[in-house]
Amino acid sequence: MIGGGKRCSVIFIGNDQRCGGYVDNGWRVNSTATNRTLLSSVKLHFMVPPAHLLHRIFVSLVPPFLGEKYRRVYVDFLGPSLALLLMAGMLHYGHASKVPSAAASTTPTEVLLLYSVLMPVAAYVLGWLCQATVTLTEMTALLGYGMFGHVFTLAVSLFFYQEASNAFFFFSLAIFGGLSALRVALVLLASIPVPAARLLVCSLVATLQLLSLVFLHFAYMHRTFVYAAAEQTDTSL
């Protein structure tokens, strides 16, 4: 219930959606200062209280069919930005300890920026072609929170086995990465009205999400895997 008992029953909930003088992150806003400019809209998407942020991170790993509160897909930029920062910290740590066997010519920041830009745009275009009802902002937030599956998978593998055990990594991938990819696929499944296109979009997006995690693990975190070994051999010669 938000704003005097008026309920906003939607799947995607953005911080710029107001109901009774409140935005859906629980903060009250001044109705005279909510002109829809680009700067104010971007600023509003970063206004997430810490308690709400922790809840949104937890929800990003829960399938939407387990209850009404898990059907809400929160649209903000703070959670995805936090996921990118955590991923960058872990990948740069792994990259620094793995040189020269890591991809020295491509930094983790470059890979993360490419993924965070190209993945939502590609998924949005693919969904748009299949008549999906998801906007680019909603797709960015959905896949951004989906990166917490990457964060937990790499963090758990690094903490227990220093990314040296492939078996434990794939076990963590099945739990955290699998739950995150499953939620993304099910949300997209509910937003695509064309039955024939649902399997294509959902399976492709979920597969790319998991494959990106596998690539980051072996390219930057795994201590003994040599990335682009042939290129490095040619360079040394």
Side-chain angles (χ1 to χ4, degrees):
M1 294 293 182
I2 301 176
K6 186 177 180 181
R7 186 179 180 183
C8 301
S9 56
V10 295
I11 296 178
F12 286 89
I13 301 178
N15 286 357
D16 56 350
Q17 295 173 349
R18 290 180 292 116
C19 199
Y22 288 82
V23 294
D24 282 309
N25 59 11
W27 285 4
R28 186 171 180 84
V29 296
N30 187 356
S31 59
T32 61
T34 55
N35 52 331
R36 295 299 181 86
T37 64
L38 178 61
L39 182 60
S40 62
S41 179
V42 172
K43 179 181 178 181
L44 194 58
H45 276 85
F46 282 94
M47 295 176 58
V48 181
H52 283 252
L53 182 61
L54 293 176
H55 173 71
R56 296 181 184 196
I57 294 174
F58 173 75
V59 169
S60 67
L61 299 175
V62 180
F65 55 78
L66 294 183
E68 180 67 24
K69 60 181 179 179
Y70 300 120
R71 293 179 62 246
R72 297 187 172 190
V73 181
Y74 298 98
V75 182
D76 65 84
F77 297 148
L78 183 61
S81 299
L82 178 61
L84 281 175
L85 290 176
L86 293 174
M87 284 289 295
M90 286 188 293
L91 292 178
H92 276 283
Y93 168 79
H95 184 259
S97 60
K98 188 177 178 178
V99 171
S101 61
S105 60
T106 307
T107 65
T109 300
E110 294 173 339
V111 174
L112 289 176
L113 289 178
L114 287 175
Y115 176 83
S116 61
V117 173
L118 296 181
M119 183 68 174
V121 171
Y124 169 74
V125 172
L126 184 62
W128 176 77
L129 293 175
C130 298
Q131 303 179 13
T133 58
V134 182
T135 65
L136 181 58
T137 302
E138 294 169 347
M139 185 69 74
T140 302
L142 176 65
L143 294 176
Y145 273 103
M147 287 192 65
F148 279 103
H150 294 50
V151 171
F152 289 123
T153 299
L154 295 181
V156 170
S157 299
L158 180 64
F159 180 78
F160 286 100
Y161 286 97
Q162 291 293 309
E163 296 284 356
S165 174
N166 291 332
F168 188 78
F169 166 76
F170 284 106
F171 175 76
S172 302
L173 174 68
I175 295 178
F176 299 108
L179 287 175
S180 177
L182 177 63
R183 177 175 175 82
V184 170
L186 292 178
V187 170
L188 293 179
L189 181 70
S191 66
I192 300 176
V194 182
R198 292 175 178 173
L199 179 62
L200 173 64
V201 177
C202 298
S203 59
L204 183 59
V205 173
T207 301
L208 289 177
Q209 184 177 351
L210 293 177
L211 287 179
S212 66
L213 178 55
V214 174
F215 168 78
L216 293 174
H217 163 72
F218 284 105
Y220 295 109
M221 301 298 295
H222 198 280
R223 297 300 178 89
T224 59
F225 180 82
V226 178
Y227 178 80
E231 180 182 351
Q232 291 176 8
T233 302
D234 295 337
T235 303
S236 62
L237 293 177

